[in-house]
């Protein structure tokens, strides 16, 4: 595809959430620089630990990317050596972007497929080594079915990146979606607490680590900083001992732990 045609096809979309760069200096126009930083930070936060656990690359692995959107993480998996990626999303517009990105990057067609559908109902006739469930869990209201989809995929490793409830108990918060157009189902979602994710994963025979975020550049990362979002790596048999666990949330909020700081703010 020549540069002019690529620019024309990129411009035919209303907006892009991810900054893709192509040969000839062509880029997707991202509405905020913070979004670019967010994807860089997320990569360091959960994708690099996934690579470490997998021996430094995803060479030869089959990857299932649920809620793949424009294929950003599918492309990361391909760049990390994955033999094949299946990306699934409920929005055709996202799959059109993903297809354009993969065509423009000249990824061999035998190495990927993008499918329209509800991730929860995916039949999964194939098996996969890794499932990416990034930004999807807090978009659904059938968390058990989501784990059943992981089980059907037969995955050894599952990476979950999700909004979380700050509750210490194992529960799901009912939330009204702020972006109902991106939902495949009802406008209500169930947002899990950290222990709900781990307990649910254990029910499906996964060990789980909630990863500790180390944010270098804060732009676009406020949800992670406020402990409203976490990434988890779930494993069937790969040891997770080397991963750094997120700290357990202190029982008291900061303004009760340090009343002096509150008083000084009023002075
Ligand atoms: C917040 S985006 C996350 C995109 C990407 N995985 C990431 O983390 O950067 C959520 C994506 O999930 C898709 N989605 C929401 N519910 C879905 C469902 N039940 N099945 C498949 N895709 C779904 C949306 O269309 C959207 O593209």
């Amino acid at each position: 595809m020549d540069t002019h045609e690529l620019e024309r096809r990129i411009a035919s979309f209303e907006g892009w959430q991810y900054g893709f760069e192509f040969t000839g200096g062509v880029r997707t126009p991202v509405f905020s620089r913070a979004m670019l930083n967010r994807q860089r930070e997320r990569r360091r936060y959960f994708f690099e630990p996934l690579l470490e656990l997998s021996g430094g690359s995803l060479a030869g692995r089959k990857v299932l990317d649920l809620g793949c959107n424009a294929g950003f993480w599918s492309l990361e998996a391909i760049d990390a050596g994955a033999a094949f990626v299946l990306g699934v999303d409920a929005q055709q517009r996202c799959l059109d972007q993903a297809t354009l990105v993969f065509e423009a990057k000249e990824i061999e067609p035998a190495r990927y497929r993008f499918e329209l559908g509800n991730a929860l109902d995916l039949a999964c006739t194939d098996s996969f080594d890794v499932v990416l469930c990034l930004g999807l869990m807090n978009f659904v209201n059938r968390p058990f079915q989501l784990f059943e989809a992981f089980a059907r995929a037969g995955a050894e490793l599952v990476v979950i990146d999700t909004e979380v409830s700050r509750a210490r108990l194992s529960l799901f918060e009912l939330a009204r979606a702020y972006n109902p157009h991106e939902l495949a189902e009802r406008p209500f979602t169930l947002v899990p607490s950290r222990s709900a994710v781990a307990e649910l994963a254990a029910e499906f025979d996964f060990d789980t680590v909630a990863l500790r975020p180390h944010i270098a550049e804060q732009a676009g990362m406020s949800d992670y900083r406020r402990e409203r979002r976490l990434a988890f790596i779930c494993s069937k048999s790969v040891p997770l001992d080397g991963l750094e666990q997120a700290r357990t949330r202190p029982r008291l909020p900061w303004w009760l732990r340090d009343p002096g700081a509150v008083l000084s703010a009023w002075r």
Side-chain angles (χ1 to χ4, degrees):
M1 183 179 334
D2 67 30
T3 303
H4 184 70
E5 170 66 0
L6 178 56
E7 282 172 339
R8 189 193 64 74
R9 288 181 62 187
I10 288 174
S12 72
F13 291 98
E14 220 170 84
W16 287 83
Q17 269 191 47
Y18 304 90
F20 294 102
E21 288 186 29
F22 305 97
T23 46
V26 180
R27 289 161 192 255
T28 51
V30 179
F31 59 87
S32 133
R33 291 177 68 82
M35 289 306 285
L36 297 177
N37 185 58
R38 182 173 173 84
Q39 305 315 340
R40 271 195 300 273
E41 291 288 343
R42 292 177 80 208
R43 189 185 190 289
R44 273 197 324 111
Y45 177 38
F46 56 71
F47 201 77
E48 286 181 10
L50 168 68
L51 295 185
E52 272 163 41
L53 281 181
S54 310
S57 83
L58 294 179
R61 307 295 213 289
K62 287 172 74 180
V63 176
L64 175 61
D65 183 5
L66 298 176
C68 65
N69 201 282
F72 183 87
W73 298 105
S74 298
L75 186 63
E76 287 287 338
I78 288 286
D79 286 346
F84 179 79
V85 177
L86 172 61
V88 178
D89 204 283
Q91 294 188 79
Q92 185 59 50
R93 178 186 58 83
C94 296
L95 298 179
D96 292 342
Q97 289 191 332
T99 305
L100 172 58
V101 168
F102 272 56
E103 278 175 22
K105 292 272 182 188
E106 298 184 348
I107 310 295
E108 213 182 307
R111 290 182 70 194
Y112 69 92
R113 193 168 78 244
F114 290 111
E115 236 174 69
L116 183 67
N118 189 334
L120 304 178
D121 302 328
L122 190 70
C124 248
T125 44
D126 258 348
S127 63
F128 293 86
D129 303 294
V130 175
V131 174
L132 302 177
C133 178
L134 310 175
L136 177 68
M137 193 164 188
N138 54 290
F139 270 60
V140 300
N141 48 33
R142 294 188 279 144
F144 276 89
Q145 277 91 336
L146 188 59
F147 272 87
E148 278 161 9
F150 303 158
R152 283 196 298 279
E156 169 63 36
L157 289 170
V158 179
V159 185
I160 300 171
D161 169 69
T162 180
E163 195 181 313
V164 284
S165 156
R166 288 162 59 95
R168 298 174 70 89
L169 298 172
S170 191
L171 51 75
F172 288 84
E173 264 177 27
L174 185 65
R176 187 172 267 280
Y178 52 86
N179 41 4
H181 64 282
E182 288 195 45
L183 294 185
E185 309 194 321
R186 289 177 186 279
F188 285 105
T189 64
L190 288 175
V191 178
S193 65
R194 172 180 172 169
S195 39
V197 175
E199 235 179 275
L200 199 48
E203 181 62 24
F204 286 83
D205 300 324
F206 286 104
D207 282 338
T208 300
V209 163
L211 297 172
R212 180 164 177 188
H214 287 284
I215 305 171
E217 176 60 57
Q218 299 290 338
M221 294 297 286
S222 65
D223 47 353
Y224 292 94
R225 194 180 61 242
R226 288 184 290 112
E227 303 166 339
R228 281 299 286 187
R229 196 177 185 97
L230 273 177
F232 302 81
I233 295 197
C234 310
S235 163
K236 287 273 179 190
S237 61
V238 178
L240 300 177
D241 322 333
L243 299 176
E244 197 182 352
Q245 292 261 11
R247 280 177 305 194
T248 318
R249 209 164 63 78
R251 233 163 242 289
L252 296 174
W254 69 270
W255 44 271
L256 277 180
R257 272 182 275 139
D258 187 4
V262 183
L263 290 173
S264 62
W266 285 97
R267 275 191 206 124

